[in-house]
Amino acid sequence: MSDRKGLFKNPRVIIFILILLGSIVAIHPGYTPGEGTTSNLNFGLDLEGGSWLQIKLEGALAQIDADSGKLVSGIVEPIIGAPIEITKNDLDVGGSADKSITFTTSASVSASQLESLGTVSVDKLSGNKTQVIISSASKEALIQAYLSKALDAEIVPMSTQDGMVYEIRTAVTEEQLETLLEKVGCSIHKNEDGTSTYKEGVSSETRDLTRDILNDKLNSMGLKDIPVRTVGEDYILIDFAGIDLATAKEIAEKPGKFEIRIQTTGNETEHVLYGDSIVGVGIPSFHDEQWHTPFTLNEEGARTLQKIALETGAIDNPDAHYLNMYLDEVKIYGAPLSLSAASKLREGPIYSWEASTGTDEAAKTEATALQVHLRAGALPVNVVLVGSGHVDAGLGAQFKTAALVTGLISLLAVAVVVFFRYRRPEILIPMVGTSTSEVIMLLGVASLIGWQLDLASIAGIIAAIGTGIDHLVIITDEVLYEGKLPPTKVFKSRIAKAFIIILGAASTNIIALSPLVVMGFGSLRGFAITTIIGVLIGVIIARPVYGIVIKELLHTDESENVGMTE
Amino acid sequence: MATGLTELLDNFVKNHDNRQLLALPLAVLAVALVVLLVSFVSSGSPVILGMEFQGGTQISVETTDSPAVLEKMYSSYPITDARQTGSRVIMQFGVMGDEQQRQLEKDVMSRYSNVEIRQVGPIYGRDLQVQALQALVISFIGMAIVVFLLFRSLVPSGAVILSAFSDIVIATAFMRVAGIELSLGTLAALLMLIGYSVDSDILLTNRVIKRRGAVEEKVSRAMHTGITMTTTTLAALAVMYVVSTFSYLVIPSFTQITLLSQISIVLIAGLFADIMNTWLLNTGILRWYVMKPEFRGRYNR
């Protein structure tokens, strides 16, 4: 019997007990009369109630082969409406020196028409000819300008190891892109093995930026603790605990693509700037009998706005040229330039602006909403909703109870089977005890790392109970190979043999579920991670202790000459 | 139960030669493959793809209305199916536009309580199909590599891998025949099966190849352990299935948990297949291999 006390001196047993106690502390179970049980465990949306949204970022990445001459003709001819003849072109020459391209044409050209391509200078030559020199030009800028105009989207050139990759921030198929490029003598670059460099999606930087902006946005609305995370390459998943689906959609879809357009003639509008030109947004304030939302434009934005206001004539007649703000193509605000702003614009660009909304309470609300839109509205890419879900809180509570009952009865059923197989409480109690402690440790880990237990994780826990018991059966049968406990030396090698089998089995379990951890299946990650952590806890901490305990317990039995019942 | 099954199986294995052992599992595997093939040819997919893989919306509500009533009420939406499970009705809808979707959600939420909604866009559904297939293949290859590293011998590892393959195929064919859709839950079950089903095969192979003793004896002992393992797991899964599927009949406040119900039923089917494949298919191949004359009884003493 002295051996049994020795059990508590075994380091493995001590560690086991410490971790078990630590897990109970981490879970911190409690019971408050009237409120029911409490714990540190976090439950997922499907057990707590709430909704989730999964969104996809629309865009494409491609490398592009271009012939700069054809590219320039392709871009310039439609603008000026006449053929051009290129007389000098050093865009394809290496080096980073100031590059330029020169062409002549019979049509008359104004420098502002071609401004997006580089620094333009126009000279009248003899005989009706016009010579145009575009300096500070580059192939990348030309491609960017062309695609941006053709697709009405932002194009971002990114230099990578493989060369310049263009990120097209709107949905475009490979065929559409190819057709567009063909018109200007360009094509999508092929890899050496002949595969296309076209790829649907956006760069991981852009994806992470979008995620961060969404995070900021939800936080600024006072919705803390709403996890926004990227899933797979192109998806973002947002969990809204305790918020119903309709509200979640409203919240999430508000951040979108922000754009300011100006009315040209009648109902026609022209693009002025996107949300990325807005560098600061102030707090709405009431002055001059009106609610105002202040915002600041960057250099480029301010200059563009001034230029377009001049071009369209908004400065002379503000009321015919409203400035409209759009979020995801939906107009959210529209107002004319104030007279003072119009006259100031004549002198130079204005950086600090104020959008006035009116005098009443509704105007105050509008000003506040505008503040949020202006601040975080600038998602770099378009997003589409690809999946969503919702569980009522009441239903979640039902799930939680049912899942708990399922887990308990499963454990009981396993105990019954084990008892009928061995018919010995000295085996049954340590076995069920080990299995229970594995579950407690698993839950302990879950509360420590703040893991959200959802239904899939519960399934993972039950699966972990299953594999756990399997491995304990292997240890037991290995130890009792001859039907009774072997001498200590043989016992040690038996345990070692049992562990070879257990480790083999555990590694196949882990390997088989690891794709789920990496891939973007959302809810199934919980299942896979829970099962894998469960298997690890079992193999590293709990099962070796079971081997030690069972040896001591059976040892006392053997000396009392109780045989194996088989 | 476990003991009775073990005796029965043990006697069967002892009294039949290797070829006879292989006959049944190979026949079942062949039938399963035919089921999947016919399904693939006739419907373009070996399994019934659930909403998550096709796109659409599934809405489940607590109601005393019959499915027919709900189907009629929502007939202006692309409703494809409505069925009763306990005190709930689950409705399936095809793909619809954002506005319509929103309207439907609002209507359902204002009318019913304890609502569950799941919606997947068709693009993401297609993405998931590809990923599901990738996950299955990667998982299987990973398992095969581990098994091969464990035994470093072609035939014994091959037997384990074949047996696991057969488990998956039979479980998948079972899903097709029983009308269980491939959902994220059943996909997880299939992946789990890949890891789970080789446990008893690893036990068997380890005992037979790496231990001294008569082959018959080693197989028989491995079987005692292995069947116990599988029955404990089956017991846990059977409870999980029954509680998640039928508990509401006894306790009205409970509800069906589809995810757990699906995971457990597929695993149960797979584990029954596993009993057959481990103790007939794998045992048959392994017994033939270790008794080959060139080993001169190396594994049988």
Side-chain angles (χ1 to χ4, degrees), chain A residues 445-458:
Chain A
V445 172
S447 33
L448 271 189
I449 60 175
W451 183 256
Q452 288 198 334
L453 293 170
D454 51 12
L455 270 181
S457 309
I458 304 277

Side-chain angles (χ1 to χ4, degrees), chain A residues 35 112 148 167 177 184 226 242 273 351 380 418 448 505 548:
Chain A
E35 281 179 45
S112 62
S148 174
E167 181 176 82
L177 184 60
V184 289
I226 292 208
L273 51 86
Y351 299 94
V418 170
L448 271 189
I548 301 166

Side-chain angles (χ1 to χ4, degrees), chain A residues 113-170:
Chain A
Q113 283 177 300
L114 304 173
E115 212 180 44
S116 64
L117 306 179
T119 312
V120 184
S121 69
V122 182
D123 299 305
K124 279 269 174 208
L125 297 187
S126 56
N128 251 352
K129 270 196 171 176
T130 309
Q131 174 177 280
V132 180
I133 303 169
I134 302 173
S135 51
S136 308
S138 73
K139 233 159 52 169
E140 289 75 31
L142 287 173
I143 294 175
Q144 189 183 358
Y146 172 69
L147 285 179
S148 174
K149 190 152 197 282
L151 291 164
D152 194 14
E154 262 182 282
I155 311 293
V156 183
M158 298 178 298
S159 51
T160 67
Q161 283 175 333
D162 308 324
M164 192 59 80
V165 174
Y166 296 84
E167 181 176 82
I168 298 152
R169 291 179 167 179
T170 190

Side-chain angles (χ1 to χ4, degrees), chain A residues 46 52 54 56 200 231-235 244-246 249-250 253 384-396 398-403 405-406 409-411 413-414 417-418 420-422 455-460 462-471 473-474 477-478 480-483 494 497-498 500-501 503-509 511-513 515-516 519-524 527 531 566, chain B residues 1-3 53 60 62 88 98 101-102 105-106 109 112-125 127-128 130-132 134-136 138-143 146-147 150 183-185 187-189 191-192 194-199 202-203 206-207 210-212 217-218 221 224-226 228-233 235-237 239-241 243-244 247 252-260 263 267:
Chain A
D46 46 2
W52 52 268
Q54 184 155 14
K56 183 182 164 73
E200 208 178 290
V231 179
E233 296 252 303
D234 308 325
Y235 298 106
D244 74 53
L245 187 56
K249 279 188 180 174
E250 266 169 40
E253 286 182 1
V384 279
L385 185 69
V386 293
S388 61
H390 167 93
V391 173
D392 273 2
L395 184 62
Q398 286 183 10
F399 281 159
K400 203 154 53 175
T401 323
V405 170
T406 311
I409 304 183
S410 298
L411 191 58
V414 170
V417 174
V418 170
F420 275 103
R421 169 70 160 74
Y422 296 104
L455 270 181
S457 309
I458 304 277
I462 296 176
I465 297 180
T467 37
I469 292 283
D470 281 6
H471 294 178
V473 167
I474 294 176
D477 284 10
E478 204 67 49
L480 299 175
Y481 202 66
E482 282 95 23
R494 288 283 164 72
K497 280 178 179 169
I500 292 175
I501 300 175
L503 288 176
S507 33
T508 52
N509 277 325
I511 293 281
L513 287 179
L516 286 187
M519 288 185 163
F521 290 114
S523 64
L524 287 193
F527 167 78
T531 313
E566 250 290 288
Chain B
M1 176 192 111
T3 323
F53 293 97
S60 129
E62 190 171 281
R88 306 182 66 79
D98 275 354
Q101 177 96 28
R102 219 177 272 240
E105 283 162 6
K106 268 208 183 110
M109 308 255 281
Y112 296 100
S113 59
N114 286 340
V115 178
E116 184 182 6
I117 301 174
R118 302 164 63 76
Q119 176 255 327
V120 170
I123 314 160
Y124 187 52
D127 250 34
L128 276 185
V130 177
Q131 289 196 352
Q134 280 175 345
L136 274 174
I138 294 173
S139 174
F140 193 85
I141 291 174
M143 178 276 295
V146 173
V147 167
L150 282 178
S183 62
L184 289 181
L187 174 71
L191 287 171
M192 173 116 218
I194 291 178
Y196 228 21
S197 68
V198 291
D199 283 14
I202 290 177
L203 170 82
N206 189 288
R207 288 273 183 89
K210 300 199 169 163
R211 298 289 159 86
R212 294 169 153 269
E217 174 69 11
K218 287 188 285 191
R221 279 178 172 280
H224 272 86
T225 306
T228 309
M229 284 161 58
T230 313
T231 35
T232 50
T233 312
L237 291 171
V239 165
M240 186 160 139
Y241 179 68
V243 175
S244 60
S247 63
S253 69
F254 275 25
T255 176
Q256 216 180 32
I257 309 179
T258 322
L259 180 81
L260 298 190
I263 289 185
L267 279 176

Side-chain angles (χ1 to χ4, degrees), chain A residues 322-336:
Chain A
Y322 265 53
L323 277 171
N324 294 333
M325 296 183 187
Y326 297 81
L327 204 51
D328 282 334
E329 260 82 310
V330 178
K331 187 173 149 187
I332 49 160
Y333 178 83

Side-chain angles (χ1 to χ4, degrees), chain B residues 140 157-168 197-198 201 273-274 276-279 281-282 285:
Chain B
F140 193 85
S157 325
V160 174
I161 294 163
L162 175 66
S163 162
F165 173 74
S166 178
D167 291 347
I168 308 301
S197 68
V198 291
D201 300 276
D274 183 48
M276 177 184 76
N277 285 323
T278 307
W279 306 112
L281 180 66
N282 197 352
I285 298 173

Side-chain angles (χ1 to χ4, degrees), chain A residues 225-463:
Chain A
D225 301 329
I226 292 208
V228 179
R229 53 184 196 270
T230 55
V231 179
E233 296 252 303
D234 308 325
Y235 298 106
I236 289 179
L237 187 65
I238 317 172
D239 285 344
F240 297 86
I243 293 175
D244 74 53
L245 187 56
T247 316
K249 279 188 180 174
E250 266 169 40
I251 295 171
E253 286 182 1
K254 263 185 225 155
K257 201 158 181 172
F258 182 87
E259 187 182 7
I260 296 181
R261 299 179 77 89
I262 192 166
Q263 206 180 351
T264 47
T265 46
N267 284 330
E268 299 280 300
T269 56
E270 187 186 332
H271 167 76
V272 182
L273 51 86
Y274 288 117
D276 58 0
S277 299
I278 297 169
V279 288
V281 185
I283 296 162
S285 61
F286 189 82
H287 59 82
D288 300 329
E289 312 283 299
Q290 291 239 45
W291 280 98
H292 290 89
T293 305
F295 63 97
T296 317
L297 296 179
N298 63 8
E299 178 73 35
E300 191 196 357
R303 286 194 180 282
T304 315
L305 182 51
Q306 183 210 14
K307 193 184 104 201
I308 293 178
L310 285 167
E311 277 174 11
T312 52
I315 287 174
D316 306 314
N317 186 4
D319 285 333
H321 302 282
Y322 265 53
L323 277 171
N324 294 333
M325 296 183 187
Y326 297 81
L327 204 51
D328 282 334
E329 260 82 310
V330 178
K331 187 173 149 187
I332 49 160
Y333 178 83
L337 286 171
S338 69
L339 290 174
S340 63
S343 60
K344 246 179 158 180
L345 276 179
R346 234 180 270 280
E347 317 298 323
I350 303 177
Y351 299 94
S352 292
W353 290 82
E354 282 193 316
S356 56
T357 52
T359 53
D360 52 1
E361 270 305 296
K364 185 185 175 187
T365 319
E366 203 194 336
T368 314
L370 200 56
Q371 175 206 4
V372 175
H373 291 153
L374 283 165
R375 186 197 298 272
L379 278 196
V381 284
N382 276 324
V383 295
V384 279
L385 185 69
V386 293
S388 61
H390 167 93
V391 173
D392 273 2
L395 184 62
Q398 286 183 10
F399 281 159
K400 203 154 53 175
T401 323
L404 185 70
V405 170
T406 311
L408 288 178
I409 304 183
S410 298
L411 191 58
L412 200 68
V414 170
V416 170
V417 174
V418 170
F419 183 74
F420 275 103
R421 169 70 160 74
Y422 296 104
R423 295 183 188 275
R424 296 172 74 173
E426 316 85 80
I427 292 177
L428 178 68
I429 292 168
M431 210 180 251
V432 174
T434 310
S435 187
T436 315
S437 349
E438 286 180 17
V439 174
I440 293 176
M441 290 180 200
L442 183 51
L443 293 178
V445 172
S447 33
L448 271 189
I449 60 175
W451 183 256
Q452 288 198 334
L453 293 170
D454 51 12
L455 270 181
S457 309
I458 304 277
I461 291 174
I462 296 176

